[in-house]
Amino acid sequence: MSDRRGLLIILSSPSGAGKSTLSKRLRTWDPSIEFSVSATTRAPRPGEVDGQDYHFLTEDAFKTSVAEEGMLEHAHVFGNFYGSPRGPVQDAIEAGKDVLFDIDWQGAQQVRNSVLGPHTLSIFILPPSITELRRRLISRGQDSDEVIAKRMQKSWDEISHWGSYDHVLINDDLDATENDLKTIVSATRLKRLQQPHLVEHVRKLQTEFQECE
């Protein structure tokens, strides 16, 4: 086992608040941070690689994994199942590597309630205003007016769950928010629970202390 346990870092936000950009910057800052590869029952699309883009499973295999607590979180979306396999995440954090999750509040709640919940760090990203959120979605130039309207309708439901997260950042300045994000991750890595070697170190100190008496 590594000198420290890894973290399950959850970033959530309404679409357009800057989550994807912050995720990329976080992994650029520390390339050892792994991204959680989801499992799905949908068929692979052209060019998608199993184990890299998704873990492609049959519906029976997915349901079996859920029944055996092999998924940290899962959901049924548009006729297919999606979830976060527990095995790769557990291996990573025991090796001292952090794992980054891009999931919504429902998935975040499931992960926090899982067996790995004590090692979870959840962060919600808020936009500075709804007007700015809409502007960012429009400026992307990727979605139709109809899609943008749907994203805006969904945004309030997502924002309403901000209080269930460990930390909440208002992304009105991307560089400042990035720095705050790094500070939060760095500090959480130093929590006592994340440093299993401390118990042995204290025992050694106790032994040395007794030998000096």
Side-chain angles (χ1 to χ4, degrees), residues 60-72 86 115:
D60 285 344
F62 191 100
K63 289 181 177 179
T64 297
S65 182
V66 171
E68 296 176 349
E69 298 185 350
M71 293 288 171
L72 293 171
R86 169 183 167 184
V115 68

Side-chain angles (χ1 to χ4, degrees), residues 29-199:
W29 169 64
D30 185 349
S32 72
I33 297 176
E34 299 183 359
F35 194 81
S36 176
V37 178
S38 297
T40 183
T41 58
R42 75 162 173 77
R45 292 169 182 158
E48 289 185 330
V49 179
D50 184 35
Q52 179 177 315
D53 297 290
Y54 283 95
H55 296 289
F56 294 101
L57 304 178
T58 64
E59 187 168 320
D60 285 344
F62 191 100
K63 289 181 177 179
T64 297
S65 182
V66 171
E68 296 176 349
E69 298 185 350
M71 293 288 171
L72 293 171
E73 58 87 24
H74 66 280
H76 189 253
V77 183
F78 300 125
N80 293 298
F81 289 97
Y82 293 83
S84 301
R86 169 183 167 184
V89 175
Q90 187 156 357
D91 290 343
I93 68 169
E94 289 179 354
K97 296 181 179 179
D98 301 324
V99 182
L100 182 62
F101 289 76
D102 180 355
I103 52 181
D104 64 12
W105 68 270
Q106 292 171 310
Q109 188 174 54
Q110 290 183 56
V111 173
R112 286 196 300 269
N113 292 335
S114 74
V115 68
L116 299 182
H119 307 292
T120 296
L121 166 61
S122 61
I123 305 163
F124 195 89
I125 309 298
L126 286 171
S129 69
I130 296 302
T131 300
E132 175 62 14
L133 184 67
R134 184 188 298 275
R135 188 198 67 77
R136 291 177 184 178
L137 289 174
I138 294 173
S139 66
R140 287 177 178 178
Q142 299 175 344
D143 300 319
S144 65
D145 291 344
E146 182 180 358
V147 171
I148 290 174
K150 288 181 178 179
R151 291 189 187 279
M152 290 300 300
Q153 289 174 358
K154 187 180 178 183
S155 66
W156 181 249
D157 178 61
E158 294 168 330
I159 291 172
S160 69
H161 296 280
W162 67 273
S164 63
Y165 285 74
D166 297 321
H167 299 272
V168 179
L169 300 175
I170 301 174
N171 185 23
D172 53 357
D173 181 305
L174 188 58
D175 290 338
T177 305
E178 177 189 354
N179 287 333
D180 288 342
L181 182 59
K182 293 175 183 176
T183 298
I184 291 169
V185 171
S186 297
T188 308
R189 285 173 172 174
L190 295 175
K191 290 179 67 174
R192 177 172 52 81
L193 182 64
Q194 299 307 119
Q195 300 186 76
H197 68 283
L198 289 177
V199 173

